[in-house]
Amino acid sequence: MPDASWVGRALEPASPYQVGREKIREFAAAIGDDSAVSNDVEAARAAGHRDLVAPPTFTVCFTMPVIEAFLRDPAFDWDYTRMVHGDQRIAFTRPIVAGDELTTVVHVDELRTRASNHMLTLRCEVADADGEPVATTHALLVTQAGEAAE
């Protein structure tokens, strides 16, 4: 049974993530995003951006490792082997661009049990090196509760 005392807590900030041009290009290629602002620096600058613009789902590159580390922490007791992704939302304050140094703080917003499943809502607050907000992600993760929770 996951430890419900984590609900309402914010984890320690993750180590800063440096957003690189090649990482943006590789991610864009992997998801089939051929937009000029994600692949051509001059096109990105002509569009008013400081550098290449990361595709919206790029946040998974640096938020998911932080989330996974939390979920695999034995102190939380989450069954990672049976987990599925229930929902994902991302809201941006501004685009993520190459050269950004981003820090993620995971917030444990909700844990509930329904129909033999634990449902966990995590929020990641992403800020730049000046502490200014860049993005907020929300993830709903689901894992089997087992017979004890029914």
Side-chain angles (χ1 to χ4, degrees):
M1 173 90 184
D3 182 351
S5 72
W6 287 87
V7 175
R9 291 192 205 177
L11 307 183
E12 290 295 315
S15 298
Y17 179 86
Q18 186 72 41
V19 179
R21 285 180 180 166
E22 290 313 307
K23 191 70 164 187
I24 289 174
R25 287 183 179 119
E26 291 168 358
F27 187 84
I31 64 168
D33 181 345
D34 61 357
S35 66
V37 296
S38 295
N39 292 285
D40 181 330
V41 175
E42 294 309 316
R45 289 181 177 153
H49 302 285
R50 182 172 26 102
D51 211 302
L52 292 182
V53 177
T57 54
F58 184 82
T59 55
V60 73
C61 292
F62 54 90
T63 59
M64 196 59 209
V66 179
I67 289 172
E68 183 178 345
F70 169 65
L71 295 176
R72 291 185 183 275
D73 183 341
F76 184 57
D77 197 23
W78 181 258
D79 186 355
Y80 195 86
T81 63
R82 296 179 180 194
M83 185 182 79
V84 294
H85 207 151
D87 188 27
Q88 182 75 46
R89 291 179 286 128
I90 307 168
F92 290 93
T93 304
R94 66 164 177 83
I96 293 172
V97 296
D100 276 340
E101 184 176 284
L102 303 173
T103 300
T104 300
V105 176
V106 175
H107 297 258
V108 182
D109 283 351
E110 183 177 38
L111 175 65
R112 56 193 160 107
T113 302
R114 298 277 192 286
S116 300
N117 292 299
H118 296 302
M119 293 175 266
L120 175 66
T121 302
L122 299 176
R123 173 174 41 95
C124 292
E125 296 292 345
V126 179
D128 65 18
D130 294 326
E132 295 298 318
V134 175
T136 301
T137 70
H138 293 86
L140 172 63
L141 306 169
V142 181
T143 194
Q144 289 184 339
E147 295 176 17
E150 294 183 36

